[in-house]
Amino acid sequence: MPAQEQRNTSGRDEEVEADAVPTPEPAPAGAAGNAQTAGVDDLLDEIDGVLEANAEEFVRGFVQKGGQ
Amino acid sequence: MSAVRVMGAETEFGIHTPGHSSFNATWLSTQVVHAYSLETGHRAAAGGETRWDYTDEDPLADARGWVVPRNEAHASQLTDEEQEVTAAQIALEGGLAEAADGTMGPLMMNMVLGNGARLYVDHAHPEYSSPEVTNPLDAVTWDAAGDVVALAAVRRIAATPGLPPITLYKNNTDNKSASYGSHENYLVPRHVPFPHLVTGLTPFFTTRQLICGAGRIGLGQDGSRAGFQVSARADFFEAEVGLETTIRRPIINTRDEPHATADKYRRLHVIIGDANLSQVSAYLKFGTTALVLDLIENNAVPDVEIMAPVGTLHAVSHDWQLRDKYRLADGRRVTALDVQWMYLEAARALAERTGAADPVTGDGHTATVLRLWEEVLAGLSGDVSSVAGKVEWVAKLELLQQFRDRDGLAWTDPRLALIDLQWSDVRPEKGLYHRLLQRGRMERLVADEAIGAAALNPPTDTRAYFRGRCIRQFGAQVVGASWDSVIFELPHQRRLQRVPTKEPLRGTEALTRELFDAHPDAASFLAALLGTPRR
């Protein structure tokens, strides 16, 4: 995500300054993945198996009242 | 300098009935409390629930020295009143419920647990408030015990015909503008000037999310802007200092309800933290905050003041790549990690002066907090993924990135939002944190057995021991309780007997165990405790 977009998110971030030039979407960090690709594949497969069906509907249905 | 201090945690759980949207959230939350009461069999004789003793609650007292008039307060601030929906009304709406003894009675909205905690319905969420503990490791243990309590309630409800299945999430937002809290409480000597707490804590809290943020998909209170952020709570904070907890949430909350001897102590009510499942993040949340309070009390805080803390808080949360610098009042520009390093250096310097971190003569906790704090900051300053087993937001980010890698998902993909939500499902077979824990990808500081025991037993070194043992041993005679009292109703006595527990470090096992062991019945126990003649 471009740094510029991050800084505009709250409307109160005028004081924030970035050294980094806005960059394109960064490549996902894959350091751990490279070392243990098999382990990660296995993990993601396992999680595929426990994730609720129909992600969009499930997430949309999770509506909470505000708390403290 | 010490990480040893009286502290505690509160968790409001997200509550959901998948596939059903028609249930009233308060009614559902009541079912959770009720289910747990059936699980434990703890049920007071008189009222069907352990009534909360509101005598010493004062949610409108402001630490800055004034009291907000009740008619000017937001309704949600009146936490010292019974809620609008009473147990009786709930029972009418939901019907009567079966009690542990097989009789029918109203649903329960409040329980004091045998481990000294409180489990109750707070607005529209079930809340577990941990017993008072004296160190960050116990804080992690008895906070995680609340997750075990929540799980037991979920299991019981799932096995109860006629009830919808309820899932509980240890998270902080629905990503649709609603947030609910996980608060910390720290005992602070009354003589510490409140402005010192504000100046000492604000830069720390603005950046503390780097070590204990839980991570979140979506930016903004409604999560509608695409992306990932470090903290689940940050976007919901809109003020620097204030009394409110449900609206205009402040970085420093001024609620001044000590729940203890008021001229000796204040209870610092911290509302800015994320709910943590990662034990290391939770440990550092409590441990580093305790160290910073010690810095403040010793006038040893680093010289750092962040310009525009609220905007910076949001920006730090959104800057998960840790690239940005933020302006200080003196003109310097520093990273959020720099600020954390300043606090760590100051804490280490003070610990060296006091000997608190000494392996032989130290307090046994400070050295571990300092070591883990440094490990995490060093990891975040270099190879971030090296702390994925410790820091919750890094663990969550790494999992999300792995899914993005494999399936080419955009940040807006609902599957990533589901991973974020299901991360905190309290059921080990569904909760993704728990899946990672079982695979050894998350570091453990406390064994499951110790957490399970903490769901049943109170800590031994605070007044929670007294409260918990009263419930465990004399539950049928305890008709009310609070942080600073236990109220008994004895058979054949018209007057209730209120035992004040104003000193958090009294009522410990060392001070009261013999008395409990020697007096199996409540009447003789109270007579011995209070020095009154037995009737």
Side-chain angles (χ1 to χ4, degrees):
Chain A
M1 144 149 345
Q4 188 64 37
E5 187 184 327
Q6 293 174 43
R7 291 203 307 278
N8 287 343
T9 45
S10 75
R12 298 189 187 201
D13 297 348
E14 299 80 5
E15 298 299 328
V16 178
E17 295 168 30
D19 278 349
V21 242
T23 50
E25 193 87 38
N34 294 339
Q36 338 165 352
T37 310
V40 171
D41 288 349
D42 198 32
L43 171 70
L44 301 194
D45 286 348
E46 178 189 320
I47 290 178
D48 281 334
V50 303
L51 280 177
E52 306 286 353
N54 198 341
E56 188 166 8
E57 191 184 316
F58 194 92
V59 168
R60 197 189 319 120
F62 182 68
V63 179
Q64 299 292 294
K65 292 195 173 166
Q68 296 222 44
Chain B
M1 184 70 213
S2 174
V4 172
R5 172 181 300 265
V6 174
M7 58 182 84
E10 313 162 30
T11 302
E12 291 177 52
F13 290 92
I15 183 163
H16 187 40
T17 48
H20 304 82
S21 54
S22 57
F23 292 104
N24 172 293
T26 306
W27 182 79
L28 290 174
S29 301
T30 307
Q31 293 292 345
V32 171
V33 177
H34 189 76
Y36 194 67
S37 78
L38 297 180
E39 195 67 24
T40 62
H42 288 160
R43 192 169 173 85
E49 64 182 313
T50 321
R51 280 168 291 184
W52 193 252
D53 177 8
Y54 287 99
T55 314
D56 292 315
E57 305 239 328
D58 199 0
L60 302 180
D62 194 301
R64 291 165 293 184
W66 60 79
V67 175
V68 173
R70 292 190 86 79
N71 59 7
E72 290 176 16
H74 189 265
S76 63
Q77 286 179 264
L78 303 177
T79 55
D80 56 344
E81 292 181 357
E82 294 279 357
Q83 294 179 29
E84 286 172 21
V85 188
T86 64
Q89 287 167 322
I90 286 287
L92 285 176
E93 184 178 335
L96 296 176
E98 189 179 354
D101 57 8
T103 60
M104 300 300 279
L107 290 163
M108 309 235 306
M109 296 187 77
N110 183 64
M111 283 182 78
V112 178
L113 308 186
N115 72 350
R118 182 188 185 193
L119 179 69
Y120 71 116
V121 179
D122 188 5
H123 301 287
H125 300 272
E127 172 166 333
Y128 169 89
S129 297
S130 84
E132 305 89 330
V133 297
T134 61
N135 63 77
L137 193 64
D138 284 352
V140 173
T141 305
W142 268 271
D143 178 58
D147 308 349
V148 171
V149 167
L151 175 64
V154 163
R155 296 277 196 241
R156 179 120 198 160
I157 289 166
T160 304
L163 285 182
I166 292 177
T167 49
L168 293 177
Y169 298 90
K170 192 182 188 183
N171 67 0
N172 295 109
T173 178
D174 64 357
N175 254 353
K176 299 169 190 69
S177 299
S179 183
Y180 33 97
S182 49
H183 299 172
E184 306 138 61
N185 298 291
Y186 302 89
L187 200 68
V188 177
R190 174 66 62 177
H191 64 76
V192 178
F194 197 77
H196 291 196
L197 293 170
V198 174
T199 53
L201 284 168
T202 301
F204 175 68
F205 282 163
T206 304
T207 54
R208 188 184 70 160
Q209 52 181 311
L210 292 181
I211 57 177
C212 58
R216 178 185 171 198
I217 283 281
L219 309 181
Q221 294 192 357
D222 64 2
S224 62
R225 288 198 305 283
F228 176 85
Q229 59 175 315
V230 168
S231 162
R233 279 281 270 182
D235 283 353
F236 295 94
F237 281 73
E238 301 169 329
E240 291 179 27
V241 183
L243 185 56
E244 296 91 352
T245 55
T246 56
I247 48 170
R248 297 188 299 273
R249 293 184 183 91
I251 294 172
I252 307 289
N253 182 239
T254 55
R255 183 184 292 182
D256 193 1
E257 268 182 315
H259 296 319
T261 307
D263 53 358
K264 283 175 70 179
Y265 308 112
R266 66 170 81 250
R267 170 183 65 121
L268 181 72
H269 188 228
V270 176
I271 67 170
I272 200 172
D274 289 0
N276 281 126
L277 289 151
S278 156
Q279 293 182 0
V280 176
S281 273
Y283 180 79
L284 286 174
K285 177 170 68 181
F286 297 111
T288 62
T289 305
L291 292 185
V292 170
L293 289 173
D294 238 28
L295 287 176
I296 293 167
E297 289 164 17
N298 287 283
N299 292 312
V301 289
D303 183 17
V304 52
E305 181 186 348
I306 292 177
M307 296 285 285
V310 175
T312 303
L313 173 75
H314 301 168
V316 169
S317 184
H318 299 173
D319 177 30
W320 58 265
Q321 289 141 308
L322 310 176
R323 288 190 304 213
D324 292 346
K325 290 191 172 183
Y326 306 92
R327 188 181 294 162
L328 302 183
D330 63 9
R332 280 181 291 168
R333 292 166 69 249
V334 298
T335 65
L337 273 171
D338 290 337
V339 175
Q340 283 292 305
W341 280 113
M342 289 179 212
Y343 276 95
L344 171 61
E345 299 301 344
R348 191 156 39 201
L350 184 58
E352 269 164 30
R353 281 202 337 251
T354 64
D358 187 278
V360 180
T361 57
D363 59 42
H365 296 280
T366 300
T368 312
V369 175
L370 289 171
R371 177 178 58 76
L372 275 171
W373 195 1
E374 179 171 7
E375 271 179 41
V376 162
L377 292 184
L380 293 174
S381 304
D383 175 14
V384 173
S385 70
S386 69
V387 290
K390 294 186 173 74
V391 180
E392 187 152 350
W393 70 268
V394 178
K396 186 184 281 181
L397 175 64
E398 192 150 280
L399 183 65
L400 291 164
Q401 296 282 34
Q402 286 159 349
F403 270 89
R404 275 160 55 79
D405 263 355
R406 190 191 67 176
D407 300 337
L409 305 177
W411 281 120
T412 49
D413 195 290
R415 208 167 160 76
L416 297 185
L418 179 62
I419 290 168
D420 185 13
L421 172 59
Q422 213 174 314
W423 177 267
S424 64
D425 191 322
V426 299
R427 295 170 297 174
E429 71 277 15
K430 294 294 265 187
L432 303 188
Y433 161 77
H434 287 288
R435 305 310 303 172
L436 265 59
L437 180 71
Q438 283 159 26
R439 280 177 166 262
R441 285 174 174 264
M442 298 301 300
E443 288 183 23
R444 267 181 210 276
L445 298 177
V446 188
D448 283 346
E449 294 72 23
I451 295 170
L456 302 174
N457 302 305
T460 58
D461 54 357
T462 67
R463 64 186 175 188
Y465 178 81
F466 179 83
R467 183 186 316 119
R469 261 211 83 170
C470 283
I471 295 291
R472 290 173 63 92
Q473 192 163 330
F474 310 122
Q477 282 86 47
V478 175
V479 294
S482 71
W483 302 118
D484 47 19
S485 71
V486 177
I487 301 175
F488 288 83
E489 182 176 42
L490 299 178
H492 316 302
Q493 287 195 20
R494 288 182 56 204
R495 284 186 55 215
L496 298 180
Q497 191 79 258
R498 185 172 190 269
V499 182
T501 55
K502 286 280 201 185
E503 280 291 336
L505 292 175
R506 302 197 55 119
T508 60
E509 181 179 49
L511 292 173
T512 64
R513 180 180 182 160
E514 273 184 31
L515 208 55
F516 278 108
D517 289 348
H519 298 277
D521 74 287
S524 80
F525 174 75
L526 283 177
L529 180 74
L530 303 171
T532 49
R534 256 186 94 179
R535 290 173 45 145

